Amino acid sequence: MNTQQPKDTATRRDFLRTTGALGAGLYLSGAGGARRATAQTSAVEALAMNGGPKAVTHAAGTSTKWPLYGAEEIE
């Protein structure tokens, strides 16, 4: 059985090789702008303990009180 592809058709391996090289080149060149956006965001934001905004602003109330006893358990 002849399993070789004709030379005029592209294979999945060829596709992955060319797109992988293209993706690596774009990433290294910074053409996507993702590295710039991440660097700008991390420079602006700070942890709450370092003077940044609070991450959780909702009051916990009694939801963290443990153990939870009702009137029946107390009686």
Side-chain angles (χ1 to χ4, degrees):
M1 181 173 176
N2 189 2
T3 60
Q4 291 190 0
Q5 295 282 334
K7 292 292 181 188
D8 60 336
T9 60
T11 63
R12 183 171 184 255
R13 182 171 295 181
D14 292 334
F15 172 75
L16 293 174
R17 185 182 305 126
T18 56
T19 55
L22 177 65
L26 287 174
Y27 174 76
L28 292 173
S29 70
R35 278 195 293 172
R36 286 189 297 263
T38 304
Q40 289 173 354
T41 303
S42 63
V44 173
E45 293 180 7
L47 295 175
M49 63 187 233
N50 293 335
K54 291 183 179 181
V56 179
T57 57
H58 183 72
T62 60
S63 62
T64 58
K65 183 180 175 187
W66 188 259
L68 301 176
Y69 293 119
E72 294 176 357
E73 288 86 10
I74 294 174
E75 289 178 8

